[in-house]
Amino acid sequence: MPESGTSRAQQERTHISTIGTVAAEPAATGTPPGNLAATDTTRRTGLLVTLVLGGLTALPPLSMDMYLPALPAVTESLHASAATVQLTLTACLTGMALGQVVVGPMSDRWGRRRPLLLGMIIYVVATAICVFAPTTELLIGFRLLQGLAGAAGIVIARAVVRDMYDGVEMARFFSTLMLISGVAPIVAPLIGGQVLRFTDWRGIFAVLTVVGVVLTLVVWKWLHETLPPQDRHNGGIGDALRTMRGLLADRVFTGYMIAGSLAFAALFAYVSASPFVVQGIYGASPQTFSLLFGINSVGLIVVGQINGKILVGRVSSDKALGFGLSVIVLAAAALLLMTSGVFGDVGLAPVAAGLFVLMSAMGLAMPNTNAQALMRTKHAAGSASALLGTSSFLIGAVASPLVGIAGEGTAVPMAVVQLVCGVGAMACFLGLCRPWRRAS
């Protein structure tokens, strides 16, 4: 007989919960060999689902970061200014923000699987069209469509995690996803830099198209439904809007959402400005930029794993989050002092060190804001995930063009945006979440 939605969801929860477990030896436990085989199969399936969710969360940074080394080349090829070319990043971010508002409630109503597959198919088509974009305006438009479709992977991956986990385990799983998705920022610029050795920037979008096709096939074959039919919402747009309004009325949820969004904006200020800062101002090659970008991503991954494997369960998520935001503020302040000339001409190495510290602190800020916010929203995980993602990408889209407002010859706007975002995130965390009151 076919599995029901409930039994399948329970099976997936069992699959995921076995990640990291070790099968006992038959001699030590007396477990029958058949049960051991079932345990091994369950563990392999759970690991596979984890990799699928990691791939979905890795797709946005892959789409953004593989393209970064090519930004100066796009500027020259399409005869556009740096600020105009940066709008291709803004368009993709805006699409990812708006798409999540639509896909999140859709996944609460129709389940996770169907909206995800539809979004992935549209993503592949839009990315393929980017290969042939003849003008900056058309490239901006297709990047917007790419972002709208790619939003499905972001919002539904978070919702699936909420379907399966709660509390400390959810925070740990978000850190696991950060390990998997964090590989994308390391590999993507390196791949992009190598692709530019053999072809132009259009070849990067061709590679992304192939990645999208592979991930779509993997999702279709291995990611089953995790939201049982009885837990779905049957309302229309009005019901979805009322649900979101109720979530935003929760002061603590809103505090985590805005704090996480501002931290993401500080990160994206770096993503958007770093190709011009590292290559344009400090004269590094695309390959050197890719290497530095990868090192910073390693810092983010390592700190994220320290958070998930060591801190979670021993230190409260609010304390870890507060420390991470404090480091972001201090690193941004140091970058502002260095880039504004207070210490003279400091060169690339100190600036790169400051960016490394700032990026590493994101490994504490991002998983903890997501986990703390989603812990309050089991009744509407899709809508909550949509709000978290939409807020992050909209604020990030605003930060993107601001970093180039003073031209390509200074990194001061990047540091200013990062400092303002860091201070704002800390203010929201302390003023809206008020962790000391909830702890008491």
Side-chain angles (χ1 to χ4, degrees):
M1 294 180 61
E3 292 180 327
S4 66
T6 303
S7 63
R8 180 171 289 177
Q10 290 171 345
Q11 183 185 36
E12 289 302 320
R13 288 187 181 94
T14 303
H15 289 168
I16 293 295
S17 65
T18 58
I19 295 170
T21 60
V22 179
E25 293 293 334
T29 64
T31 304
N35 289 352
L36 279 176
T39 301
D40 290 340
T41 301
T42 298
R43 187 186 308 112
R44 287 194 297 269
T45 306
L47 179 59
L48 181 59
V49 173
T50 307
L51 293 174
V52 173
L53 295 179
L56 292 174
T57 57
L59 189 60
L62 193 66
S63 302
M64 305 294 291
D65 299 341
M66 190 182 296
Y67 175 64
L68 291 179
L71 283 179
V74 175
T75 302
E76 181 179 354
S77 172
L78 298 181
H79 308 289
S81 65
T84 302
V85 172
Q86 282 175 330
L87 288 177
T88 62
L89 297 176
T90 302
C92 189
L93 272 180
T94 303
M96 289 179 181
L98 298 178
Q100 291 183 70
V101 175
V102 177
V103 176
M106 283 175 60
S107 73
D108 281 339
R109 182 175 183 182
W110 289 301
R112 313 303 186 198
R113 182 174 165 83
R114 284 185 291 174
L116 176 58
L117 285 172
L118 177 62
M120 292 301 300
I121 292 171
I122 298 175
Y123 172 88
V124 169
V125 174
T127 306
I129 294 175
C130 287
V131 177
F132 306 101
T135 65
T136 309
E137 291 75 17
L138 288 175
L139 182 61
I140 291 172
F142 293 142
R143 288 281 279 173
L144 177 64
L145 180 61
Q146 183 190 42
L148 286 168
I154 310 169
V155 66
I156 291 179
R158 276 197 303 262
V160 168
V161 174
R162 188 62 188 94
D163 291 340
M164 297 178 174
Y165 279 120
D166 201 358
V168 169
E169 291 303 317
M170 183 168 58
R172 284 179 176 152
F173 196 84
F174 274 123
S175 293
T176 300
L177 286 186
M178 178 166 289
L179 171 63
I180 300 171
S181 62
V183 173
I186 298 174
V187 175
L190 297 175
I191 295 175
Q194 295 305 312
V195 169
L196 291 176
R197 288 178 175 268
F198 304 101
T199 182
D200 61 6
W201 58 272
R202 298 180 189 275
I204 293 177
F205 286 107
V207 174
L208 286 173
T209 302
V210 174
V211 172
V213 170
V214 172
L215 188 55
T216 302
L217 294 175
V218 169
V219 168
W220 175 76
K221 184 172 179 60
W222 282 297
L223 187 63
H224 301 296
E225 184 58 63
T226 60
L227 185 65
Q230 66 270 20
D231 290 340
R232 298 175 189 176
H233 297 183
N234 295 321
I237 296 177
D239 183 65
L241 293 176
R242 283 190 293 272
T243 299
M244 289 185 175
R245 185 169 64 246
L247 292 171
L248 292 174
D250 182 349
R251 171 179 51 79
V252 178
F253 171 83
T254 302
Y256 285 122
M257 180 187 73
I258 299 178
S261 299
L262 288 170
F264 179 84
L267 182 150
F268 198 75
Y270 158 74
V271 170
S272 181
S274 58
F276 299 98
V277 171
V278 176
Q279 297 180 69
I281 297 176
Y282 294 101
S285 66
Q287 288 70 37
T288 300
F289 162 74
S290 299
L291 177 62
L292 292 176
F293 198 95
I295 291 173
N296 291 341
S297 299
V298 168
L300 188 151
I301 292 173
V302 170
V303 174
Q305 291 312 291
I306 291 174
N307 176 72
K309 305 298 183 184
I310 299 176
L311 299 183
V312 170
R314 296 180 175 87
V315 178
S316 74
S317 295
D318 283 329
K319 288 182 179 179
L321 174 58
F323 180 77
L325 293 177
S326 299
V327 173
I328 291 173
V329 171
L330 293 175
L335 284 168
L336 180 58
L337 292 175
M338 288 188 286
T339 56
S340 60
V342 171
F343 302 124
D345 186 7
V346 296
L348 178 59
V351 172
L355 291 172
F356 174 80
V357 172
L358 186 144
M359 283 284 288
S360 298
M362 296 294 173
L364 293 176
M366 294 168 62
N368 285 311
T369 51
N370 282 333
Q372 291 289 80
L374 287 173
M375 253 190 269
R376 307 176 64 86
T377 60
K378 186 172 179 58
H379 62 288
S383 296
S385 178
L387 287 174
L388 289 172
T390 298
S391 175
S392 295
F393 282 100
L394 280 179
I395 296 178
V398 172
S400 175
L402 293 179
V403 299
I405 197 170
E408 303 174 28
T410 176
V412 171
M414 177 191 72
V416 170
V417 170
Q418 290 171 333
L419 181 59
V420 170
C421 289
V423 172
M426 180 63 79
C428 289
F429 173 60
L430 296 177
L432 296 178
C433 301
R434 301 175 187 176
W436 63 89
R437 290 189 180 182
R438 291 184 295 109
S440 62

